[in-house]
Amino acid sequence: MNPSKLQDEKNRGEKARLLLEEPLIKESFELLKKEYKQAIFQTKYNEDDTRTALWQAYHITDKIENHFHTVVETGKLATVQLNQLKKNST
């Protein structure tokens, strides 16, 4: 793989890791998921559309958080590959 692309992935992974470790971001994901989950259980039996919207919001929030985790893991793999390229070039 292109070392420049690997470096970009490594940098993105580091940025994503820093974001996920940021207390405000952590708090936001946790709070949103908690609020959506609680709101689902507070809907009335005939509020199907509201429940569906809350369910979607909960899962979209989860998908966004998981995307950051995927970028972190990709960055870790890129770091390993970059180290291997450096090792092989010496």
Side-chain angles (χ1 to χ4, degrees):
M1 184 180 271
N2 181 342
S4 175
K5 181 152 172 54
L6 288 172
Q7 187 63 48
D8 288 345
E9 287 180 356
K10 177 183 174 184
N11 293 341
R12 283 177 42 118
E14 181 62 19
K15 287 177 186 176
R17 183 187 65 76
L18 290 171
L19 284 171
L20 285 171
E21 290 177 356
E22 171 61 40
L24 185 56
I25 298 291
K26 264 181 156 175
E27 175 189 323
S28 296
F29 281 126
E30 290 170 7
L31 180 67
L32 285 171
K33 289 194 282 186
K34 180 182 175 185
E35 286 181 358
Y36 292 142
K37 197 175 190 180
Q38 287 175 344
I40 287 171
F41 288 106
Q42 292 173 356
T43 57
K44 296 179 178 141
Y45 77 94
N46 61 346
E47 295 180 309
D48 293 334
D49 291 342
T50 302
R51 256 191 313 283
T52 299
L54 289 165
W55 182 89
Q56 289 172 335
Y58 178 92
H59 286 284
I60 288 169
T61 303
D62 199 42
K63 284 182 181 260
I64 293 168
E65 183 178 21
N66 286 335
H67 176 70
F68 281 112
H69 287 291
T70 299
V71 172
V72 169
E73 292 305 314
T74 300
K76 288 178 183 178
L77 291 172
T79 300
V80 169
Q81 289 178 317
L82 282 169
N83 289 339
Q84 189 63 41
L85 285 173
K86 286 178 188 174
K87 182 178 176 183
N88 290 342
S89 69
T90 56

Coordinates of all heavy atoms in Angstrom, one line a residue:
M1 N 0.8 -1.2 0.0 CA 0.0 0.0 0.0 C 0.9 1.2 0.0 O 2.0 1.2 0.5 CB -0.9 0.0 1.2 CG -1.9 1.2 1.2 SD -3.0 1.2 2.6 CE -4.4 0.2 1.9
N2 N 0.4 2.3 -0.5 CA 1.0 3.6 -0.6 C 1.4 4.1 0.8 O 0.5 4.3 1.6 CB 0.1 4.5 -1.4 CG 0.7 5.9 -1.6 OD1 1.6 6.3 -0.9 ND2 0.1 6.6 -2.5
P3 N 2.6 4.4 1.1 CA 3.0 5.0 2.4 C 2.3 6.3 2.7 O 2.0 6.5 3.9 CB 4.5 5.2 2.3 CG 5.0 4.2 1.2 CD 3.8 4.1 0.2
S4 N 2.0 7.1 1.7 CA 1.3 8.3 2.0 C -0.1 8.1 2.5 O -0.6 8.7 3.4 CB 1.3 9.2 0.7 OG 0.5 10.3 0.9
K5 N -0.8 7.1 1.8 CA -2.1 6.7 2.3 C -2.1 6.1 3.6 O -3.0 6.4 4.5 CB -2.7 5.7 1.3 CG -4.1 5.3 1.6 CD -4.9 5.0 0.4 CE -6.3 4.4 0.7 NZ -7.2 5.1 1.5
L6 N -1.1 5.3 3.9 CA -1.0 4.7 5.2 C -0.8 5.8 6.3 O -1.4 5.7 7.4 CB 0.2 3.7 5.3 CG 0.0 2.4 4.6 CD1 1.3 1.6 4.5 CD2 -1.1 1.6 5.2
Q7 N 0.0 6.8 6.0 CA 0.3 7.9 6.9 C -1.0 8.6 7.2 O -1.3 9.0 8.3 CB 1.4 8.8 6.4 CG 1.8 9.9 7.4 CD 2.4 9.3 8.6 OE1 3.3 8.4 8.6 NE2 1.9 9.8 9.8
D8 N -1.8 8.9 6.1 CA -3.1 9.5 6.3 C -4.0 8.7 7.2 O -4.7 9.3 8.1 CB -3.8 9.7 4.9 CG -3.1 10.8 4.1 OD1 -2.3 11.6 4.6 OD2 -3.4 10.8 2.8
E9 N -4.1 7.4 7.0 CA -4.9 6.6 7.8 C -4.4 6.6 9.3 O -5.2 6.6 10.2 CB -4.9 5.2 7.3 CG -5.8 5.0 6.0 CD -5.8 3.6 5.5 OE1 -5.1 2.7 6.0 OE2 -6.5 3.4 4.5
K10 N -3.1 6.6 9.4 CA -2.6 6.6 10.8 C -3.0 7.9 11.5 O -3.4 7.9 12.6 CB -1.0 6.5 10.7 CG -0.3 6.7 12.1 CD 1.2 6.6 11.9 CE 1.8 6.9 13.3 NZ 3.3 7.0 13.1
N11 N -2.9 9.0 10.8 CA -3.2 10.4 11.3 C -4.7 10.4 11.6 O -5.1 10.9 12.7 CB -2.8 11.5 10.3 CG -1.3 11.6 10.2 OD1 -0.6 11.2 11.0 ND2 -0.9 12.2 9.1
R12 N -5.5 9.9 10.7 CA -7.0 9.9 11.0 C -7.3 9.1 12.2 O -8.2 9.4 13.0 CB -7.7 9.3 9.8 CG -7.9 10.3 8.6 CD -8.6 9.6 7.5 NE -9.7 8.7 7.9 CZ -10.9 8.9 7.6 NH1 -11.3 9.9 6.8 NH2 -11.9 8.1 8.1
G13 N -6.6 7.9 12.3 CA -6.9 7.1 13.5 C -6.5 7.8 14.8 O -7.2 7.6 15.8
E14 N -5.4 8.5 14.8 CA -5.0 9.2 16.0 C -6.0 10.3 16.3 O -6.4 10.5 17.5 CB -3.6 9.8 15.8 CG -3.1 10.6 17.0 CD -2.9 9.8 18.2 OE1 -2.9 8.5 18.2 OE2 -2.9 10.4 19.3
K15 N -6.5 11.0 15.3 CA -7.5 12.1 15.6 C -8.8 11.4 16.1 O -9.4 12.0 17.0 CB -7.8 12.8 14.3 CG -6.7 13.8 13.8 CD -7.1 14.4 12.5 CE -5.9 15.3 12.0 NZ -6.2 15.8 10.7
A16 N -9.2 10.3 15.5 CA -10.4 9.7 16.0 C -10.3 9.2 17.4 O -11.2 9.3 18.3 CB -10.8 8.5 15.1
R17 N -9.1 8.7 17.8 CA -8.8 8.2 19.1 C -8.9 9.4 20.1 O -9.5 9.3 21.2 CB -7.4 7.6 19.2 CG -7.1 7.0 20.6 CD -5.7 6.5 20.7 NE -4.7 7.6 20.6 CZ -4.5 8.5 21.6 NH1 -5.1 8.4 22.7 NH2 -3.6 9.4 21.4
L18 N -8.3 10.5 19.7 CA -8.4 11.7 20.6 C -9.8 12.1 20.8 O -10.2 12.5 21.9 CB -7.5 12.8 20.0 CG -6.0 12.6 20.1 CD1 -5.3 13.7 19.3 CD2 -5.5 12.5 21.5
L19 N -10.6 12.1 19.7 CA -12.0 12.5 19.9 C -12.8 11.6 20.8 O -13.5 12.0 21.7 CB -12.7 12.5 18.5 CG -12.4 13.7 17.6 CD1 -12.9 13.5 16.2 CD2 -12.9 15.0 18.2
L20 N -12.5 10.3 20.6 CA -13.2 9.3 21.5 C -12.8 9.4 22.9 O -13.6 9.0 23.8 CB -13.0 7.9 21.0 CG -13.8 7.5 19.7 CD1 -13.3 6.2 19.2 CD2 -15.3 7.5 20.0
E21 N -11.6 9.8 23.2 CA -11.1 10.0 24.6 C -11.5 11.4 25.2 O -11.4 11.5 26.4 CB -9.6 9.8 24.6 CG -9.2 8.4 24.4 CD -7.7 8.2 24.4 OE1 -6.9 9.2 24.5 OE2 -7.2 7.1 24.2
E22 N -12.0 12.3 24.3 CA -12.4 13.6 24.8 C -13.7 13.4 25.7 O -14.7 12.9 25.3 CB -12.8 14.5 23.6 CG -13.4 15.8 23.9 CD -12.5 16.7 24.8 OE1 -11.3 16.7 24.6 OE2 -13.1 17.3 25.7
P23 N -13.6 13.9 26.9 CA -14.7 13.6 27.9 C -16.0 14.2 27.4 O -17.1 13.5 27.6 CB -14.3 14.4 29.1 CG -12.8 14.4 29.1 CD -12.4 14.5 27.6
L24 N -16.1 15.3 26.7 CA -17.3 15.9 26.2 C -17.9 15.0 25.1 O -19.1 14.8 25.1 CB -17.1 17.3 25.7 CG -18.3 18.1 25.3 CD1 -19.3 18.1 26.4 CD2 -17.9 19.4 24.8
I25 N -17.1 14.4 24.3 CA -17.6 13.5 23.2 C -18.1 12.3 23.8 O -19.2 11.8 23.5 CB -16.5 13.2 22.2 CG1 -16.0 14.5 21.5 CG2 -16.9 12.2 21.2 CD1 -17.0 15.1 20.5
K26 N -17.3 11.7 24.7 CA -17.8 10.5 25.5 C -19.1 10.7 26.1 O -20.0 9.9 26.0 CB -16.7 10.1 26.5 CG -15.7 9.1 26.2 CD -14.9 8.9 27.4 CE -14.2 7.5 27.3 NZ -13.3 7.2 28.3
E27 N -19.2 11.8 26.8 CA -20.4 12.1 27.6 C -21.6 12.3 26.6 O -22.7 11.8 26.8 CB -20.2 13.4 28.3 CG -21.5 14.0 29.0 CD -21.2 15.4 29.6 OE1 -20.1 15.7 30.1 OE2 -22.2 16.2 29.5
S28 N -21.3 12.9 25.4 CA -22.4 13.1 24.5 C -23.0 11.8 23.9 O -24.2 11.7 23.9 CB -21.9 14.0 23.3 OG -21.5 15.3 23.8
F29 N -22.1 10.9 23.5 CA -22.6 9.6 23.0 C -23.4 8.9 24.1 O -24.5 8.4 23.8 CB -21.4 8.8 22.5 CG -20.9 9.1 21.2 CD1 -19.5 9.4 21.0 CD2 -21.7 9.2 20.1 CE1 -19.0 9.7 19.8 CE2 -21.2 9.5 18.8 CZ -19.9 9.8 18.7
E30 N -22.8 8.9 25.3 CA -23.5 8.1 26.4 C -24.9 8.8 26.7 O -25.9 8.1 26.9 CB -22.6 8.1 27.6 CG -21.4 7.2 27.5 CD -20.4 7.4 28.7 OE1 -20.7 8.1 29.6 OE2 -19.3 6.8 28.6
L31 N -24.9 10.1 26.8 CA -26.1 10.8 27.1 C -27.2 10.7 26.0 O -28.3 10.4 26.4 CB -25.8 12.3 27.3 CG -27.0 13.2 27.7 CD1 -27.5 12.8 29.1 CD2 -26.6 14.7 27.6
L32 N -26.8 10.8 24.8 CA -27.8 10.7 23.7 C -28.4 9.3 23.7 O -29.6 9.1 23.6 CB -27.1 11.0 22.4 CG -26.8 12.4 22.1 CD1 -26.0 12.6 20.8 CD2 -28.1 13.2 21.9
K33 N -27.5 8.2 23.8 CA -28.1 6.9 23.8 C -29.0 6.6 25.0 O -30.0 6.0 24.8 CB -26.9 5.9 23.7 CG -26.2 5.9 22.3 CD -25.4 4.7 22.1 CE -24.0 4.8 22.8 NZ -23.1 3.7 22.5
K34 N -28.6 7.1 26.1 CA -29.4 6.9 27.3 C -30.8 7.6 27.2 O -31.8 7.1 27.5 CB -28.7 7.5 28.5 CG -29.4 7.4 29.8 CD -28.6 8.0 31.0 CE -29.4 8.0 32.3 NZ -28.7 8.7 33.4
E35 N -30.7 8.9 26.7 CA -32.0 9.6 26.5 C -32.9 9.0 25.4 O -34.1 8.9 25.6 CB -31.7 11.1 26.1 CG -31.2 11.9 27.3 CD -30.9 13.3 26.9 OE1 -31.0 13.7 25.8 OE2 -30.5 14.1 27.9
Y36 N -32.3 8.6 24.3 CA -33.1 7.9 23.3 C -33.8 6.6 23.9 O -34.9 6.3 23.6 CB -32.3 7.6 22.1 CG -31.9 8.8 21.3 CD1 -30.6 8.8 20.7 CD2 -32.7 9.9 21.1 CE1 -30.2 9.9 20.0 CE2 -32.3 11.0 20.4 CZ -31.0 11.0 19.8 OH -30.6 12.1 19.1
K37 N -33.0 5.9 24.6 CA -33.5 4.6 25.2 C -34.6 4.9 26.1 O -35.6 4.2 26.1 CB -32.3 3.9 25.9 CG -32.5 2.5 26.1 CD -31.2 1.9 26.7 CE -31.2 0.4 26.8 NZ -29.9 -0.1 27.4
Q38 N -34.4 5.8 27.0 CA -35.5 6.2 28.0 C -36.7 6.7 27.3 O -37.8 6.3 27.7 CB -35.0 7.2 29.0 CG -34.0 6.7 30.0 CD -33.4 7.8 30.9 OE1 -33.5 9.0 30.6 NE2 -32.8 7.4 32.0
A39 N -36.5 7.5 26.3 CA -37.7 8.1 25.6 C -38.5 7.0 24.9 O -39.7 7.1 24.8 CB -37.2 9.1 24.6
I40 N -37.8 6.0 24.4 CA -38.5 4.9 23.7 C -39.5 4.2 24.7 O -40.7 4.0 24.3 CB -37.5 3.8 23.2 CG1 -36.8 4.4 21.9 CG2 -38.3 2.5 22.8 CD1 -35.7 3.5 21.4
F41 N -39.1 4.0 25.9 CA -39.9 3.3 26.9 C -41.0 4.3 27.5 O -41.9 3.8 28.1 CB -39.1 2.7 28.0 CG -38.3 1.5 27.6 CD1 -36.9 1.6 27.3 CD2 -39.0 0.3 27.3 CE1 -36.3 0.5 26.9 CE2 -38.3 -0.8 26.9 CZ -36.9 -0.7 26.7
Q42 N -40.9 5.5 27.2 CA -41.9 6.5 27.7 C -43.0 6.8 26.6 O -43.9 7.5 26.9 CB -41.2 7.8 28.1 CG -40.4 7.6 29.3 CD -39.6 8.9 29.7 OE1 -39.6 9.9 28.9 NE2 -38.8 8.8 30.8
T43 N -42.8 6.1 25.5 CA -43.9 6.4 24.4 C -45.1 5.5 24.8 O -45.1 4.5 25.5 CB -43.4 5.9 23.0 OG1 -43.0 4.6 23.1 CG2 -42.2 6.8 22.6
K44 N -46.2 6.0 24.3 CA -47.5 5.3 24.5 C -47.6 4.2 23.4 O -47.0 4.3 22.4 CB -48.6 6.3 24.4 CG -48.6 7.3 25.5 CD -49.7 8.3 25.4 CE -49.6 9.2 26.6 NZ -49.9 10.6 26.4
Y45 N -48.6 3.3 23.6 CA -48.7 2.2 22.7 C -49.0 2.6 21.3 O -48.7 1.9 20.4 CB -49.8 1.2 23.3 CG -51.2 1.8 23.0 CD1 -51.9 1.4 21.9 CD2 -51.8 2.7 23.9 CE1 -53.2 1.8 21.6 CE2 -53.1 3.1 23.6 CZ -53.8 2.7 22.5 OH -55.0 3.2 22.3
N46 N -49.6 3.7 21.1 CA -50.0 4.1 19.7 C -49.0 5.1 19.1 O -49.3 5.6 18.0 CB -51.4 4.8 19.7 CG -51.5 6.0 20.6 OD1 -50.6 6.3 21.4 ND2 -52.5 6.8 20.5
E47 N -47.8 5.3 19.7 CA -46.8 6.2 19.1 C -45.7 5.4 18.4 O -44.5 5.6 18.6 CB -46.2 7.0 20.3 CG -47.2 7.9 20.9 CD -46.6 8.7 22.1 OE1 -46.0 8.1 22.9 OE2 -46.8 10.0 22.1
D48 N -46.2 4.7 17.4 CA -45.2 3.8 16.6 C -44.2 4.7 15.9 O -43.0 4.4 15.9 CB -46.0 2.9 15.6 CG -46.8 1.9 16.3 OD1 -46.5 1.5 17.5 OD2 -47.8 1.4 15.7
D49 N -44.7 5.8 15.3 CA -43.7 6.6 14.5 C -42.7 7.3 15.4 O -41.5 7.4 15.1 CB -44.5 7.7 13.8 CG -45.4 7.2 12.7 OD1 -45.1 6.0 12.2 OD2 -46.3 7.9 12.2
T50 N -43.1 7.7 16.6 CA -42.1 8.3 17.5 C -41.1 7.2 18.0 O -39.9 7.5 18.0 CB -42.9 8.8 18.8 OG1 -43.8 9.8 18.3 CG2 -41.9 9.5 19.8
R51 N -41.6 6.0 18.3 CA -40.7 4.9 18.7 C -39.7 4.6 17.6 O -38.5 4.4 17.9 CB -41.5 3.7 19.1 CG -41.6 3.4 20.6 CD -42.1 2.1 20.9 NE -43.3 1.7 20.2 CZ -44.5 2.1 20.4 NH1 -44.7 3.0 21.4 NH2 -45.6 1.7 19.7
T52 N -40.2 4.6 16.4 CA -39.3 4.3 15.3 C -38.2 5.3 15.1 O -37.1 5.0 14.9 CB -40.1 4.1 13.9 OG1 -41.1 3.1 14.1 CG2 -39.2 3.9 12.8
A53 N -38.6 6.6 15.2 CA -37.7 7.7 15.1 C -36.6 7.7 16.2 O -35.4 7.9 15.9 CB -38.4 9.0 15.1
L54 N -37.1 7.4 17.4 CA -36.1 7.3 18.5 C -35.2 6.1 18.4 O -34.0 6.2 18.6 CB -36.9 7.1 19.8 CG -37.6 8.4 20.3 CD1 -38.6 8.1 21.4 CD2 -36.6 9.4 20.8
W55 N -35.7 5.0 17.9 CA -34.9 3.8 17.6 C -33.8 4.1 16.6 O -32.7 3.7 16.8 CB -35.8 2.6 17.2 CG -35.1 1.3 16.9 CD1 -34.8 0.3 17.9 CD2 -34.5 0.9 15.7 NE1 -34.1 -0.7 17.3 CE2 -33.9 -0.4 16.0 CE3 -34.4 1.4 14.4 CZ2 -33.3 -1.1 15.0 CZ3 -33.8 0.7 13.5 CH2 -33.2 -0.6 13.7
Q56 N -34.3 4.8 15.5 CA -33.3 5.1 14.5 C -32.2 6.1 15.0 O -31.0 5.9 14.7 CB -34.0 5.8 13.3 CG -34.8 4.8 12.5 CD -35.7 5.5 11.4 OE1 -36.1 6.6 11.6 NE2 -36.0 4.7 10.4
A57 N -32.6 7.1 15.8 CA -31.7 8.0 16.4 C -30.7 7.3 17.3 O -29.5 7.6 17.2 CB -32.4 9.1 17.2
Y58 N -31.2 6.4 18.1 CA -30.3 5.6 18.9 C -29.2 4.9 18.1 O -28.0 4.9 18.4 CB -31.1 4.6 19.8 CG -30.2 3.8 20.7 CD1 -29.9 4.2 22.0 CD2 -29.7 2.6 20.2 CE1 -29.1 3.4 22.8 CE2 -28.9 1.8 21.0 CZ -28.6 2.2 22.3 OH -27.8 1.4 23.1
H59 N -29.7 4.2 17.1 CA -28.8 3.4 16.3 C -27.9 4.2 15.4 O -26.7 3.8 15.1 CB -29.6 2.3 15.5 CG -30.1 1.2 16.4 ND1 -29.2 0.2 16.8 CD2 -31.3 1.0 16.9 CE1 -29.9 -0.6 17.6 NE2 -31.2 -0.1 17.7
I60 N -28.3 5.3 14.9 CA -27.4 6.2 14.2 C -26.3 6.8 15.1 O -25.2 6.8 14.7 CB -28.2 7.4 13.5 CG1 -29.1 6.8 12.4 CG2 -27.3 8.5 13.0 CD1 -30.1 7.8 11.8
T61 N -26.7 7.1 16.3 CA -25.6 7.6 17.3 C -24.6 6.5 17.5 O -23.4 6.7 17.5 CB -26.3 8.0 18.6 OG1 -27.3 9.0 18.3 CG2 -25.3 8.5 19.6
D62 N -25.1 5.2 17.6 CA -24.2 4.1 17.8 C -23.3 3.9 16.6 O -22.1 3.6 16.7 CB -25.1 2.9 18.1 CG -24.3 1.8 18.8 OD1 -23.5 2.0 19.7 OD2 -24.5 0.6 18.4
K63 N -23.9 4.0 15.4 CA -23.1 3.9 14.2 C -22.0 4.9 14.0 O -20.9 4.6 13.6 CB -24.0 3.9 12.9 CG -24.8 2.6 12.7 CD -25.7 2.7 11.5 CE -26.5 1.5 11.3 NZ -25.9 0.6 10.3
I64 N -22.3 6.1 14.4 CA -21.3 7.2 14.4 C -20.2 6.9 15.3 O -19.0 7.0 14.9 CB -21.9 8.6 14.7 CG1 -22.9 9.0 13.6 CG2 -20.9 9.6 14.9 CD1 -23.8 10.2 14.0
E65 N -20.5 6.5 16.5 CA -19.5 6.1 17.5 C -18.6 4.9 17.0 O -17.4 5.0 17.1 CB -20.1 5.8 18.9 CG -19.1 5.5 19.9 CD -19.8 5.2 21.3 OE1 -21.0 4.8 21.3 OE2 -19.1 5.3 22.3
N66 N -19.3 3.9 16.4 CA -18.6 2.8 15.9 C -17.7 3.2 14.7 O -16.6 2.6 14.5 CB -19.5 1.7 15.5 CG -20.1 1.0 16.7 OD1 -19.5 1.0 17.8 ND2 -21.3 0.4 16.6
H67 N -18.1 4.1 13.9 CA -17.3 4.6 12.8 C -15.9 5.1 13.4 O -14.9 4.8 12.8 CB -18.0 5.6 12.0 CG -17.1 6.2 10.9 ND1 -16.7 5.5 9.8 CD2 -16.5 7.4 10.8 CE1 -16.0 6.2 9.0 NE2 -15.8 7.4 9.6
F68 N -16.0 5.9 14.4 CA -14.8 6.4 15.0 C -13.9 5.3 15.5 O -12.7 5.3 15.3 CB -15.1 7.4 16.2 CG -15.5 8.8 15.8 CD1 -16.8 9.2 16.0 CD2 -14.6 9.6 15.2 CE1 -17.2 10.5 15.6 CE2 -15.0 10.9 14.8 CZ -16.3 11.3 15.1
H69 N -14.5 4.3 16.1 CA -13.7 3.1 16.5 C -13.0 2.4 15.3 O -11.9 2.0 15.4 CB -14.6 2.1 17.3 CG -14.9 2.6 18.7 ND1 -14.0 2.7 19.7 CD2 -16.1 3.0 19.2 CE1 -14.6 3.2 20.8 NE2 -15.9 3.4 20.5
T70 N -13.8 2.3 14.2 CA -13.2 1.7 13.0 C -12.0 2.5 12.5 O -11.0 1.9 12.1 CB -14.3 1.5 12.0 OG1 -15.4 0.7 12.5 CG2 -13.8 0.9 10.7
V71 N -12.2 3.8 12.5 CA -11.1 4.6 12.0 C -9.8 4.5 12.9 O -8.7 4.4 12.5 CB -11.5 6.1 11.9 CG1 -10.3 7.0 11.6 CG2 -12.6 6.3 10.9
V72 N -10.1 4.3 14.2 CA -9.0 4.1 15.2 C -8.2 2.8 14.8 O -7.0 2.8 14.8 CB -9.5 4.1 16.6 CG1 -8.4 3.6 17.6 CG2 -9.9 5.5 17.1
E73 N -9.0 1.8 14.6 CA -8.4 0.4 14.3 C -7.7 0.5 13.0 O -6.6 -0.1 12.9 CB -9.5 -0.6 14.4 CG -10.1 -0.9 15.7 CD -9.0 -1.3 16.8 OE1 -8.1 -2.1 16.5 OE2 -9.0 -0.7 17.9
T74 N -8.2 1.1 12.0 CA -7.6 1.3 10.7 C -6.3 2.0 10.9 O -5.2 1.6 10.3 CB -8.5 2.0 9.7 OG1 -9.7 1.2 9.5 CG2 -7.8 2.1 8.3
G75 N -6.3 3.0 11.7 CA -5.0 3.8 12.0 C -4.0 2.9 12.7 O -2.8 3.0 12.3
K76 N -4.4 2.0 13.5 CA -3.5 1.1 14.2 C -2.8 0.2 13.2 O -1.6 -0.1 13.2 CB -4.2 0.3 15.3 CG -4.5 1.1 16.5 CD -5.2 0.3 17.6 CE -5.7 1.1 18.8 NZ -6.4 0.2 19.7
L77 N -3.7 -0.4 12.3 CA -3.2 -1.3 11.3 C -2.2 -0.5 10.3 O -1.2 -1.1 9.9 CB -4.3 -1.9 10.5 CG -5.2 -2.9 11.2 CD1 -6.4 -3.2 10.4 CD2 -4.4 -4.1 11.6
A78 N -2.5 0.7 10.0 CA -1.7 1.5 9.1 C -0.3 1.7 9.8 O 0.7 1.7 9.2 CB -2.3 2.8 8.8
T79 N -0.3 2.0 11.1 CA 0.9 2.1 11.9 C 1.8 0.9 11.8 O 3.0 1.0 11.6 CB 0.6 2.5 13.3 OG1 -0.2 3.7 13.4 CG2 1.9 2.6 14.2
V80 N 1.2 -0.3 11.9 CA 1.9 -1.5 11.9 C 2.5 -1.7 10.5 O 3.7 -2.1 10.3 CB 1.0 -2.7 12.2 CG1 1.6 -4.1 11.9 CG2 0.6 -2.7 13.7
Q81 N 1.7 -1.4 9.4 CA 2.2 -1.5 8.1 C 3.3 -0.5 7.8 O 4.3 -0.9 7.1 CB 1.1 -1.3 7.1 CG 0.1 -2.5 7.1 CD -1.1 -2.2 6.1 OE1 -1.6 -1.1 6.1 NE2 -1.4 -3.3 5.3
L82 N 3.2 0.7 8.3 CA 4.3 1.7 8.1 C 5.6 1.2 8.8 O 6.7 1.3 8.2 CB 3.9 3.0 8.7 CG 2.9 3.9 7.8 CD1 2.4 5.1 8.6 CD2 3.7 4.4 6.5
N83 N 5.4 0.7 10.0 CA 6.6 0.2 10.7 C 7.2 -1.0 9.9 O 8.5 -1.1 9.9 CB 6.2 -0.3 12.1 CG 5.9 0.9 13.0 OD1 6.3 2.1 12.8 ND2 5.1 0.7 14.1
Q84 N 6.4 -1.8 9.3 CA 6.9 -3.0 8.6 C 7.6 -2.5 7.3 O 8.7 -3.0 7.0 CB 5.8 -3.9 8.2 CG 6.2 -5.2 7.6 CD 7.0 -6.0 8.5 OE1 6.7 -6.1 9.7 NE2 8.1 -6.7 8.1
L85 N 7.1 -1.4 6.7 CA 7.7 -0.9 5.5 C 9.1 -0.3 5.9 O 10.1 -0.5 5.1 CB 6.9 0.2 4.9 CG 5.7 -0.2 4.1 CD1 4.8 0.9 3.7 CD2 6.1 -1.0 2.8
K86 N 9.2 0.4 7.0 CA 10.4 1.0 7.5 C 11.4 -0.1 7.8 O 12.6 0.0 7.4 CB 10.2 1.9 8.7 CG 9.5 3.2 8.4 CD 9.3 4.0 9.7 CE 8.5 5.2 9.4 NZ 8.1 5.9 10.6
K87 N 11.0 -1.1 8.4 CA 11.8 -2.2 8.8 C 12.4 -2.9 7.5 O 13.6 -3.3 7.5 CB 11.1 -3.2 9.6 CG 11.8 -4.4 10.1 CD 11.0 -5.3 11.0 CE 11.7 -6.5 11.4 NZ 10.9 -7.5 12.2
N88 N 11.5 -3.1 6.5 CA 12.0 -3.8 5.3 C 12.9 -2.9 4.4 O 13.6 -3.4 3.6 CB 10.7 -4.2 4.5 CG 10.0 -5.3 5.1 OD1 10.5 -6.0 6.0 ND2 8.7 -5.5 4.7
S89 N 12.8 -1.6 4.6 CA 13.6 -0.7 3.8 C 15.0 -0.5 4.3 O 15.9 0.1 3.7 CB 12.9 0.7 3.6 OG 12.9 1.4 4.8
T90 N 15.2 -0.9 5.5 CA 16.6 -0.8 6.1 C 17.4 -2.0 6.0 O 17.1 -3.0 5.6 CB 16.5 -0.4 7.6 OG1 15.8 -1.4 8.3 CG2 15.9 1.0 7.8

